[in-house]
Amino acid sequence: LAQLYTLSDGQLEEQLNDKVSFRRFLGLGLEDDAPDHTTLCRFRNRLVEEGLSEKLFAEFNRQIEGRGLVLRQGTMIDATLVTAAGKPPADDNFAEASDPDARFAKIEGKGTSYGYKAHLGVDQGTRLIRAALLTPANVNETVVADALVRGDEKAVYADKAYAKRERREALRAKGIKPRIMHKRWGGGPELSPWQKLHNRLIAPIRAEVETVFATLKRRLGYRLVRYRGLAKNQAQLFLLALAYNMRCVADLLLRKRPESVST
């Protein structure tokens, strides 16, 4: 609920005492005491300590895969920058920064961003998140790209930042089509007509992942991280992806329902 509605612990406590819909979602009766903000904070910290956020995300995905809601036609991979909760350090002194795990990243034509980078693997067609990783902002997308591949998809779609011969060969060896856009390397030759056509065909499919990032940032408030430190913010990303998938699955089931009723 906190992830879906961008609520702090204090705001969530207030809503639990005010909204019947929230209490019903949690299975709380009108006479039951709702957890206060300190309880919510301690519970979240326990999730981080035990690594349970990732397990919750994985378990929900296992259930929706078992119901045939994941298509596996392709995985779209990409990353987005997320601003840190604390201020940037002076003179790049990260040891004394308010968030020692956050880093700077250059944005072409826009200066720099201080914070983290969220990497996602998204199911083509359903836009369900199948993999989510958080790194400091200065980590290149290609470094963690292979961890976003599930191994059961028919293709992997990605932009030029993920272009790598070894990656294409590794995907082909697993029977996965490497739908990764080609790029010109340094002062090398221009792209061939076939490579340019390949890029034009892939671009609109790969771009579907941008809709997922837009939803996370605009509807779920993920323009900046909530906490300090990589561990807590990675846990938040798992919970955010879990909440997003829950909403996405609800939409998918609602779209299927008229068909089942009509038959």
Side-chain angles (χ1 to χ4, degrees), residues 136-161:
N138 63 344
V139 174
N140 194 288
E141 290 92 323
T142 192
V143 173
V144 299
D146 297 333
L148 302 174
V149 179
R150 301 294 84 189
D152 57 4
E153 57 272 271
K154 294 181 180 178
V156 168
Y157 294 86
D159 64 21
K160 299 175 183 179

mmCIF file with all atom_site columns, all heavy atoms in Angstrom, residues 136-161:
data_model
loop_
_atom_site.group_PDB
_atom_site.id
_atom_site.type_symbol
_atom_site.label_atom_id
_atom_site.label_alt_id
_atom_site.label_comp_id
_atom_site.label_asym_id
_atom_site.label_entity_id
_atom_site.label_seq_id
_atom_site.pdbx_PDB_ins_code
_atom_site.Cartn_x
_atom_site.Cartn_y
_atom_site.Cartn_z
_atom_site.occupancy
_atom_site.B_iso_or_equiv
_atom_site.pdbx_formal_charge
_atom_site.auth_seq_id
_atom_site.auth_comp_id
_atom_site.auth_asym_id
_atom_site.auth_atom_id
_atom_site.pdbx_PDB_model_num
ATOM 1   N N   . PRO A 1 136 ? 24.545 1.746   -7.996  1.00 0.00 ? 136 PRO A N   1
ATOM 2   C CA  . PRO A 1 136 ? 24.888 3.164   -8.016  1.00 0.00 ? 136 PRO A CA  1
ATOM 3   C C   . PRO A 1 136 ? 24.760 3.711   -9.435  1.00 0.00 ? 136 PRO A C   1
ATOM 4   O O   . PRO A 1 136 ? 24.893 2.970   -10.412 1.00 0.00 ? 136 PRO A O   1
ATOM 5   C CB  . PRO A 1 136 ? 26.342 3.173   -7.529  1.00 0.00 ? 136 PRO A CB  1
ATOM 6   C CG  . PRO A 1 136 ? 26.452 1.938   -6.678  1.00 0.00 ? 136 PRO A CG  1
ATOM 7   C CD  . PRO A 1 136 ? 25.595 0.926   -7.354  1.00 0.00 ? 136 PRO A CD  1
ATOM 8   N N   . ALA A 1 137 ? 24.504 4.990   -9.567  1.00 0.00 ? 137 ALA A N   1
ATOM 9   C CA  . ALA A 1 137 ? 24.193 5.585   -10.869 1.00 0.00 ? 137 ALA A CA  1
ATOM 10  C C   . ALA A 1 137 ? 25.319 5.472   -11.886 1.00 0.00 ? 137 ALA A C   1
ATOM 11  O O   . ALA A 1 137 ? 25.075 5.498   -13.092 1.00 0.00 ? 137 ALA A O   1
ATOM 12  C CB  . ALA A 1 137 ? 23.811 7.053   -10.678 1.00 0.00 ? 137 ALA A CB  1
ATOM 13  N N   . ASN A 1 138 ? 26.565 5.327   -11.410 1.00 0.00 ? 138 ASN A N   1
ATOM 14  C CA  . ASN A 1 138 ? 27.691 5.298   -12.348 1.00 0.00 ? 138 ASN A CA  1
ATOM 15  C C   . ASN A 1 138 ? 27.962 3.919   -12.941 1.00 0.00 ? 138 ASN A C   1
ATOM 16  O O   . ASN A 1 138 ? 28.875 3.760   -13.761 1.00 0.00 ? 138 ASN A O   1
ATOM 17  C CB  . ASN A 1 138 ? 28.958 5.816   -11.666 1.00 0.00 ? 138 ASN A CB  1
ATOM 18  C CG  . ASN A 1 138 ? 29.396 4.943   -10.492 1.00 0.00 ? 138 ASN A CG  1
ATOM 19  O OD1 . ASN A 1 138 ? 28.614 4.125   -9.992  1.00 0.00 ? 138 ASN A OD1 1
ATOM 20  N ND2 . ASN A 1 138 ? 30.627 5.112   -10.057 1.00 0.00 ? 138 ASN A ND2 1
ATOM 21  N N   . VAL A 1 139 ? 27.190 2.913   -12.584 1.00 0.00 ? 139 VAL A N   1
ATOM 22  C CA  . VAL A 1 139 ? 27.368 1.571   -13.131 1.00 0.00 ? 139 VAL A CA  1
ATOM 23  C C   . VAL A 1 139 ? 26.737 1.505   -14.519 1.00 0.00 ? 139 VAL A C   1
ATOM 24  O O   . VAL A 1 139 ? 25.561 1.821   -14.695 1.00 0.00 ? 139 VAL A O   1
ATOM 25  C CB  . VAL A 1 139 ? 26.746 0.499   -12.215 1.00 0.00 ? 139 VAL A CB  1
ATOM 26  C CG1 . VAL A 1 139 ? 26.819 -0.877  -12.865 1.00 0.00 ? 139 VAL A CG1 1
ATOM 27  C CG2 . VAL A 1 139 ? 27.450 0.488   -10.866 1.00 0.00 ? 139 VAL A CG2 1
ATOM 28  N N   . ASN A 1 140 ? 27.511 1.094   -15.509 1.00 0.00 ? 140 ASN A N   1
ATOM 29  C CA  . ASN A 1 140 ? 27.013 1.015   -16.880 1.00 0.00 ? 140 ASN A CA  1
ATOM 30  C C   . ASN A 1 140 ? 25.960 -0.067  -17.016 1.00 0.00 ? 140 ASN A C   1
ATOM 31  O O   . ASN A 1 140 ? 26.049 -1.133  -16.395 1.00 0.00 ? 140 ASN A O   1
ATOM 32  C CB  . ASN A 1 140 ? 28.183 0.739   -17.830 1.00 0.00 ? 140 ASN A CB  1
ATOM 33  C CG  . ASN A 1 140 ? 27.808 0.972   -19.273 1.00 0.00 ? 140 ASN A CG  1
ATOM 34  O OD1 . ASN A 1 140 ? 27.061 0.210   -19.864 1.00 0.00 ? 140 ASN A OD1 1
ATOM 35  N ND2 . ASN A 1 140 ? 28.339 2.039   -19.839 1.00 0.00 ? 140 ASN A ND2 1
ATOM 36  N N   . GLU A 1 141 ? 24.967 0.194   -17.863 1.00 0.00 ? 141 GLU A N   1
ATOM 37  C CA  . GLU A 1 141 ? 23.862 -0.750  -18.045 1.00 0.00 ? 141 GLU A CA  1
ATOM 38  C C   . GLU A 1 141 ? 24.342 -2.147  -18.438 1.00 0.00 ? 141 GLU A C   1
ATOM 39  O O   . GLU A 1 141 ? 23.778 -3.153  -17.991 1.00 0.00 ? 141 GLU A O   1
ATOM 40  C CB  . GLU A 1 141 ? 22.901 -0.245  -19.124 1.00 0.00 ? 141 GLU A CB  1
ATOM 41  C CG  . GLU A 1 141 ? 22.081 0.958   -18.738 1.00 0.00 ? 141 GLU A CG  1
ATOM 42  C CD  . GLU A 1 141 ? 22.727 2.268   -19.119 1.00 0.00 ? 141 GLU A CD  1
ATOM 43  O OE1 . GLU A 1 141 ? 23.968 2.369   -19.015 1.00 0.00 ? 141 GLU A OE1 1
ATOM 44  O OE2 . GLU A 1 141 ? 22.002 3.190   -19.502 1.00 0.00 ? 141 GLU A OE2 1
ATOM 45  N N   . THR A 1 142 ? 25.349 -2.209  -19.285 1.00 0.00 ? 142 THR A N   1
ATOM 46  C CA  . THR A 1 142 ? 25.776 -3.504  -19.816 1.00 0.00 ? 142 THR A CA  1
ATOM 47  C C   . THR A 1 142 ? 26.384 -4.413  -18.747 1.00 0.00 ? 142 THR A C   1
ATOM 48  O O   . THR A 1 142 ? 26.423 -5.631  -18.919 1.00 0.00 ? 142 THR A O   1
ATOM 49  C CB  . THR A 1 142 ? 26.785 -3.306  -20.962 1.00 0.00 ? 142 THR A CB  1
ATOM 50  O OG1 . THR A 1 142 ? 26.975 -4.537  -21.655 1.00 0.00 ? 142 THR A OG1 1
ATOM 51  C CG2 . THR A 1 142 ? 28.113 -2.783  -20.455 1.00 0.00 ? 142 THR A CG2 1
ATOM 52  N N   . VAL A 1 143 ? 26.813 -3.832  -17.614 1.00 0.00 ? 143 VAL A N   1
ATOM 53  C CA  . VAL A 1 143 ? 27.469 -4.613  -16.563 1.00 0.00 ? 143 VAL A CA  1
ATOM 54  C C   . VAL A 1 143 ? 26.515 -5.630  -15.945 1.00 0.00 ? 143 VAL A C   1
ATOM 55  O O   . VAL A 1 143 ? 26.906 -6.768  -15.647 1.00 0.00 ? 143 VAL A O   1
ATOM 56  C CB  . VAL A 1 143 ? 28.040 -3.677  -15.476 1.00 0.00 ? 143 VAL A CB  1
ATOM 57  C CG1 . VAL A 1 143 ? 28.573 -4.475  -14.294 1.00 0.00 ? 143 VAL A CG1 1
ATOM 58  C CG2 . VAL A 1 143 ? 29.137 -2.792  -16.059 1.00 0.00 ? 143 VAL A CG2 1
ATOM 59  N N   . VAL A 1 144 ? 25.268 -5.237  -15.741 1.00 0.00 ? 144 VAL A N   1
ATOM 60  C CA  . VAL A 1 144 ? 24.300 -6.122  -15.064 1.00 0.00 ? 144 VAL A CA  1
ATOM 61  C C   . VAL A 1 144 ? 23.246 -6.671  -16.017 1.00 0.00 ? 144 VAL A C   1
ATOM 62  O O   . VAL A 1 144 ? 22.307 -7.343  -15.581 1.00 0.00 ? 144 VAL A O   1
ATOM 63  C CB  . VAL A 1 144 ? 23.602 -5.372  -13.906 1.00 0.00 ? 144 VAL A CB  1
ATOM 64  C CG1 . VAL A 1 144 ? 24.616 -4.922  -12.872 1.00 0.00 ? 144 VAL A CG1 1
ATOM 65  C CG2 . VAL A 1 144 ? 22.809 -4.188  -14.431 1.00 0.00 ? 144 VAL A CG2 1
ATOM 66  N N   . ALA A 1 145 ? 23.389 -6.409  -17.298 1.00 0.00 ? 145 ALA A N   1
ATOM 67  C CA  . ALA A 1 145 ? 22.359 -6.792  -18.272 1.00 0.00 ? 145 ALA A CA  1
ATOM 68  C C   . ALA A 1 145 ? 22.052 -8.281  -18.256 1.00 0.00 ? 145 ALA A C   1
ATOM 69  O O   . ALA A 1 145 ? 20.880 -8.691  -18.302 1.00 0.00 ? 145 ALA A O   1
ATOM 70  C CB  . ALA A 1 145 ? 22.784 -6.365  -19.670 1.00 0.00 ? 145 ALA A CB  1
ATOM 71  N N   . ASP A 1 146 ? 23.071 -9.121  -18.186 1.00 0.00 ? 146 ASP A N   1
ATOM 72  C CA  . ASP A 1 146 ? 22.853 -10.571 -18.273 1.00 0.00 ? 146 ASP A CA  1
ATOM 73  C C   . ASP A 1 146 ? 22.045 -11.102 -17.095 1.00 0.00 ? 146 ASP A C   1
ATOM 74  O O   . ASP A 1 146 ? 21.349 -12.119 -17.218 1.00 0.00 ? 146 ASP A O   1
ATOM 75  C CB  . ASP A 1 146 ? 24.195 -11.296 -18.359 1.00 0.00 ? 146 ASP A CB  1
ATOM 76  C CG  . ASP A 1 146 ? 24.966 -10.928 -19.624 1.00 0.00 ? 146 ASP A CG  1
ATOM 77  O OD1 . ASP A 1 146 ? 24.311 -10.570 -20.628 1.00 0.00 ? 146 ASP A OD1 1
ATOM 78  O OD2 . ASP A 1 146 ? 26.212 -10.982 -19.604 1.00 0.00 ? 146 ASP A OD2 1
ATOM 79  N N   . ALA A 1 147 ? 22.107 -10.411 -15.955 1.00 0.00 ? 147 ALA A N   1
ATOM 80  C CA  . ALA A 1 147 ? 21.343 -10.844 -14.782 1.00 0.00 ? 147 ALA A CA  1
ATOM 81  C C   . ALA A 1 147 ? 19.846 -10.581 -14.957 1.00 0.00 ? 147 ALA A C   1
ATOM 82  O O   . ALA A 1 147 ? 19.040 -11.124 -14.197 1.00 0.00 ? 147 ALA A O   1
ATOM 83  C CB  . ALA A 1 147 ? 21.851 -10.127 -13.532 1.00 0.00 ? 147 ALA A CB  1
ATOM 84  N N   . LEU A 1 148 ? 19.467 -9.780  -15.942 1.00 0.00 ? 148 LEU A N   1
ATOM 85  C CA  . LEU A 1 148 ? 18.065 -9.470  -16.182 1.00 0.00 ? 148 LEU A CA  1
ATOM 86  C C   . LEU A 1 148 ? 17.404 -10.473 -17.120 1.00 0.00 ? 148 LEU A C   1
ATOM 87  O O   . LEU A 1 148 ? 16.182 -10.484 -17.262 1.00 0.00 ? 148 LEU A O   1
ATOM 88  C CB  . LEU A 1 148 ? 17.927 -8.065  -16.775 1.00 0.00 ? 148 LEU A CB  1
ATOM 89  C CG  . LEU A 1 148 ? 18.506 -6.920  -15.944 1.00 0.00 ? 148 LEU A CG  1
ATOM 90  C CD1 . LEU A 1 148 ? 18.428 -5.610  -16.725 1.00 0.00 ? 148 LEU A CD1 1
ATOM 91  C CD2 . LEU A 1 148 ? 17.770 -6.783  -14.613 1.00 0.00 ? 148 LEU A CD2 1
ATOM 92  N N   . VAL A 1 149 ? 18.216 -11.309 -17.761 1.00 0.00 ? 149 VAL A N   1
ATOM 93  C CA  . VAL A 1 149 ? 17.697 -12.319 -18.690 1.00 0.00 ? 149 VAL A CA  1
ATOM 94  C C   . VAL A 1 149 ? 17.244 -13.533 -17.896 1.00 0.00 ? 149 VAL A C   1
ATOM 95  O O   . VAL A 1 149 ? 18.005 -14.071 -17.084 1.00 0.00 ? 149 VAL A O   1
ATOM 96  C CB  . VAL A 1 149 ? 18.768 -12.707 -19.722 1.00 0.00 ? 149 VAL A CB  1
ATOM 97  C CG1 . VAL A 1 149 ? 18.246 -13.782 -20.669 1.00 0.00 ? 149 VAL A CG1 1
ATOM 98  C CG2 . VAL A 1 149 ? 19.219 -11.482 -20.511 1.00 0.00 ? 149 VAL A CG2 1
ATOM 99  N N   . ARG A 1 150 ? 16.015 -13.988 -18.113 1.00 0.00 ? 150 ARG A N   1
ATOM 100 C CA  . ARG A 1 150 ? 15.459 -15.102 -17.352 1.00 0.00 ? 150 ARG A CA  1
ATOM 101 C C   . ARG A 1 150 ? 15.862 -16.466 -17.902 1.00 0.00 ? 150 ARG A C   1
ATOM 102 O O   . ARG A 1 150 ? 15.873 -17.455 -17.182 1.00 0.00 ? 150 ARG A O   1
ATOM 103 C CB  . ARG A 1 150 ? 13.934 -15.007 -17.296 1.00 0.00 ? 150 ARG A CB  1
ATOM 104 C CG  . ARG A 1 150 ? 13.394 -13.733 -16.657 1.00 0.00 ? 150 ARG A CG  1
ATOM 105 C CD  . ARG A 1 150 ? 13.739 -13.639 -15.188 1.00 0.00 ? 150 ARG A CD  1
ATOM 106 N NE  . ARG A 1 150 ? 15.084 -13.099 -14.965 1.00 0.00 ? 150 ARG A NE  1
ATOM 107 C CZ  . ARG A 1 150 ? 15.688 -13.073 -13.798 1.00 0.00 ? 150 ARG A CZ  1
ATOM 108 N NH1 . ARG A 1 150 ? 15.109 -13.605 -12.749 1.00 0.00 ? 150 ARG A NH1 1
ATOM 109 N NH2 . ARG A 1 150 ? 16.897 -12.554 -13.680 1.00 0.00 ? 150 ARG A NH2 1
ATOM 110 N N   . GLY A 1 151 ? 16.125 -16.555 -19.195 1.00 0.00 ? 151 GLY A N   1
ATOM 111 C CA  . GLY A 1 151 ? 16.544 -17.823 -19.785 1.00 0.00 ? 151 GLY A CA  1
ATOM 112 C C   . GLY A 1 151 ? 15.421 -18.602 -20.440 1.00 0.00 ? 151 GLY A C   1
ATOM 113 O O   . GLY A 1 151 ? 15.686 -19.559 -21.176 1.00 0.00 ? 151 GLY A O   1
ATOM 114 N N   . ASP A 1 152 ? 14.154 -18.228 -20.169 1.00 0.00 ? 152 ASP A N   1
ATOM 115 C CA  . ASP A 1 152 ? 13.030 -18.935 -20.766 1.00 0.00 ? 152 ASP A CA  1
ATOM 116 C C   . ASP A 1 152 ? 12.304 -18.101 -21.823 1.00 0.00 ? 152 ASP A C   1
ATOM 117 O O   . ASP A 1 152 ? 11.306 -18.535 -22.389 1.00 0.00 ? 152 ASP A O   1
ATOM 118 C CB  . ASP A 1 152 ? 12.035 -19.366 -19.690 1.00 0.00 ? 152 ASP A CB  1
ATOM 119 C CG  . ASP A 1 152 ? 11.515 -18.187 -18.859 1.00 0.00 ? 152 ASP A CG  1
ATOM 120 O OD1 . ASP A 1 152 ? 11.875 -17.033 -19.173 1.00 0.00 ? 152 ASP A OD1 1
ATOM 121 O OD2 . ASP A 1 152 ? 10.753 -18.428 -17.901 1.00 0.00 ? 152 ASP A OD2 1
ATOM 122 N N   . GLU A 1 153 ? 12.801 -16.884 -22.095 1.00 0.00 ? 153 GLU A N   1
ATOM 123 C CA  . GLU A 1 153 ? 12.190 -16.045 -23.108 1.00 0.00 ? 153 GLU A CA  1
ATOM 124 C C   . GLU A 1 153 ? 12.686 -16.425 -24.500 1.00 0.00 ? 153 GLU A C   1
ATOM 125 O O   . GLU A 1 153 ? 13.732 -17.060 -24.652 1.00 0.00 ? 153 GLU A O   1
ATOM 126 C CB  . GLU A 1 153 ? 12.472 -14.561 -22.844 1.00 0.00 ? 153 GLU A CB  1
ATOM 127 C CG  . GLU A 1 153 ? 13.945 -14.192 -22.758 1.00 0.00 ? 153 GLU A CG  1
ATOM 128 C CD  . GLU A 1 153 ? 14.501 -14.341 -21.367 1.00 0.00 ? 153 GLU A CD  1
ATOM 129 O OE1 . GLU A 1 153 ? 14.448 -13.401 -20.566 1.00 0.00 ? 153 GLU A OE1 1
ATOM 130 O OE2 . GLU A 1 153 ? 15.038 -15.442 -21.101 1.00 0.00 ? 153 GLU A OE2 1
ATOM 131 N N   . LYS A 1 154 ? 11.918 -16.039 -25.518 1.00 0.00 ? 154 LYS A N   1
ATOM 132 C CA  . LYS A 1 154 ? 12.306 -16.363 -26.888 1.00 0.00 ? 154 LYS A CA  1
ATOM 133 C C   . LYS A 1 154 ? 13.256 -15.322 -27.469 1.00 0.00 ? 154 LYS A C   1
ATOM 134 O O   . LYS A 1 154 ? 13.973 -15.610 -28.437 1.00 0.00 ? 154 LYS A O   1
ATOM 135 C CB  . LYS A 1 154 ? 11.072 -16.484 -27.770 1.00 0.00 ? 154 LYS A CB  1
ATOM 136 C CG  . LYS A 1 154 ? 10.169 -17.656 -27.397 1.00 0.00 ? 154 LYS A CG  1
ATOM 137 C CD  . LYS A 1 154 ? 8.970  -17.744 -28.322 1.00 0.00 ? 154 LYS A CD  1
ATOM 138 C CE  . LYS A 1 154 ? 8.075  -18.929 -27.944 1.00 0.00 ? 154 LYS A CE  1
ATOM 139 N NZ  . LYS A 1 154 ? 6.874  -19.006 -28.820 1.00 0.00 ? 154 LYS A NZ  1
ATOM 140 N N   . ALA A 1 155 ? 13.250 -14.112 -26.920 1.00 0.00 ? 155 ALA A N   1
ATOM 141 C CA  . ALA A 1 155 ? 14.095 -13.037 -27.441 1.00 0.00 ? 155 ALA A CA  1
ATOM 142 C C   . ALA A 1 155 ? 14.404 -12.039 -26.337 1.00 0.00 ? 155 ALA A C   1
ATOM 143 O O   . ALA A 1 155 ? 13.683 -11.963 -25.333 1.00 0.00 ? 155 ALA A O   1
ATOM 144 C CB  . ALA A 1 155 ? 13.410 -12.340 -28.616 1.00 0.00 ? 155 ALA A CB  1
ATOM 145 N N   . VAL A 1 156 ? 15.471 -11.284 -26.517 1.00 0.00 ? 156 VAL A N   1
ATOM 146 C CA  . VAL A 1 156 ? 15.831 -10.194 -25.620 1.00 0.00 ? 156 VAL A CA  1
ATOM 147 C C   . VAL A 1 156 ? 15.924 -8.914  -26.453 1.00 0.00 ? 156 VAL A C   1
ATOM 148 O O   . VAL A 1 156 ? 16.636 -8.879  -27.463 1.00 0.00 ? 156 VAL A O   1
ATOM 149 C CB  . VAL A 1 156 ? 17.168 -10.453 -24.903 1.00 0.00 ? 156 VAL A CB  1
ATOM 150 C CG1 . VAL A 1 156 ? 17.669 -9.190  -24.202 1.00 0.00 ? 156 VAL A CG1 1
ATOM 151 C CG2 . VAL A 1 156 ? 17.014 -11.580 -23.888 1.00 0.00 ? 156 VAL A CG2 1
ATOM 152 N N   . TYR A 1 157 ? 15.195 -7.889  -26.037 1.00 0.00 ? 157 TYR A N   1
ATOM 153 C CA  . TYR A 1 157 ? 15.175 -6.606  -26.742 1.00 0.00 ? 157 TYR A CA  1
ATOM 154 C C   . TYR A 1 157 ? 15.890 -5.558  -25.894 1.00 0.00 ? 157 TYR A C   1
ATOM 155 O O   . TYR A 1 157 ? 15.638 -5.435  -24.700 1.00 0.00 ? 157 TYR A O   1
ATOM 156 C CB  . TYR A 1 157 ? 13.732 -6.156  -26.985 1.00 0.00 ? 157 TYR A CB  1
ATOM 157 C CG  . TYR A 1 157 ? 12.964 -7.053  -27.935 1.00 0.00 ? 157 TYR A CG  1
ATOM 158 C CD1 . TYR A 1 157 ? 12.305 -8.191  -27.468 1.00 0.00 ? 157 TYR A CD1 1
ATOM 159 C CD2 . TYR A 1 157 ? 12.895 -6.760  -29.283 1.00 0.00 ? 157 TYR A CD2 1
ATOM 160 C CE1 . TYR A 1 157 ? 11.609 -9.018  -28.333 1.00 0.00 ? 157 TYR A CE1 1
ATOM 161 C CE2 . TYR A 1 157 ? 12.196 -7.583  -30.164 1.00 0.00 ? 157 TYR A CE2 1
ATOM 162 C CZ  . TYR A 1 157 ? 11.557 -8.703  -29.674 1.00 0.00 ? 157 TYR A CZ  1
ATOM 163 O OH  . TYR A 1 157 ? 10.866 -9.526  -30.541 1.00 0.00 ? 157 TYR A OH  1
ATOM 164 N N   . ALA A 1 158 ? 16.785 -4.804  -26.543 1.00 0.00 ? 158 ALA A N   1
ATOM 165 C CA  . ALA A 1 158 ? 17.547 -3.791  -25.814 1.00 0.00 ? 158 ALA A CA  1
ATOM 166 C C   . ALA A 1 158 ? 18.081 -2.744  -26.781 1.00 0.00 ? 158 ALA A C   1
ATOM 167 O O   . ALA A 1 158 ? 18.213 -2.991  -27.984 1.00 0.00 ? 158 ALA A O   1
ATOM 168 C CB  . ALA A 1 158 ? 18.702 -4.433  -25.049 1.00 0.00 ? 158 ALA A CB  1
ATOM 169 N N   . ASP A 1 159 ? 18.425 -1.572  -26.253 1.00 0.00 ? 159 ASP A N   1
ATOM 170 C CA  . ASP A 1 159 ? 18.951 -0.510  -27.099 1.00 0.00 ? 159 ASP A CA  1
ATOM 171 C C   . ASP A 1 159 ? 20.461 -0.650  -27.278 1.00 0.00 ? 159 ASP A C   1
ATOM 172 O O   . ASP A 1 159 ? 21.073 -1.642  -26.869 1.00 0.00 ? 159 ASP A O   1
ATOM 173 C CB  . ASP A 1 159 ? 18.573 0.866   -26.550 1.00 0.00 ? 159 ASP A CB  1
ATOM 174 C CG  . ASP A 1 159 ? 19.188 1.145   -25.178 1.00 0.00 ? 159 ASP A CG  1
ATOM 175 O OD1 . ASP A 1 159 ? 20.192 0.488   -24.813 1.00 0.00 ? 159 ASP A OD1 1
ATOM 176 O OD2 . ASP A 1 159 ? 18.666 2.020   -24.460 1.00 0.00 ? 159 ASP A OD2 1
ATOM 177 N N   . LYS A 1 160 ? 21.072 0.357   -27.875 1.00 0.00 ? 160 LYS A N   1
ATOM 178 C CA  . LYS A 1 160 ? 22.485 0.286   -28.260 1.00 0.00 ? 160 LYS A CA  1
ATOM 179 C C   . LYS A 1 160 ? 23.431 0.164   -27.067 1.00 0.00 ? 160 LYS A C   1
ATOM 180 O O   . LYS A 1 160 ? 24.557 -0.313  -27.215 1.00 0.00 ? 160 LYS A O   1
ATOM 181 C CB  . LYS A 1 160 ? 22.855 1.523   -29.070 1.00 0.00 ? 160 LYS A CB  1
ATOM 182 C CG  . LYS A 1 160 ? 22.071 1.674   -30.364 1.00 0.00 ? 160 LYS A CG  1
ATOM 183 C CD  . LYS A 1 160 ? 22.400 2.980   -31.063 1.00 0.00 ? 160 LYS A CD  1
ATOM 184 C CE  . LYS A 1 160 ? 21.557 3.164   -32.310 1.00 0.00 ? 160 LYS A CE  1
ATOM 185 N NZ  . LYS A 1 160 ? 21.844 4.456   -32.990 1.00 0.00 ? 160 LYS A NZ  1
ATOM 186 N N   . ALA A 1 161 ? 22.976 0.609   -25.881 1.00 0.00 ? 161 ALA A N   1
ATOM 187 C CA  . ALA A 1 161 ? 23.845 0.545   -24.707 1.00 0.00 ? 161 ALA A CA  1
ATOM 188 C C   . ALA A 1 161 ? 24.215 -0.892  -24.344 1.00 0.00 ? 161 ALA A C   1
ATOM 189 O O   . ALA A 1 161 ? 25.203 -1.123  -23.641 1.00 0.00 ? 161 ALA A O   1
ATOM 190 C CB  . ALA A 1 161 ? 23.154 1.213   -23.522 1.00 0.00 ? 161 ALA A CB  1
#
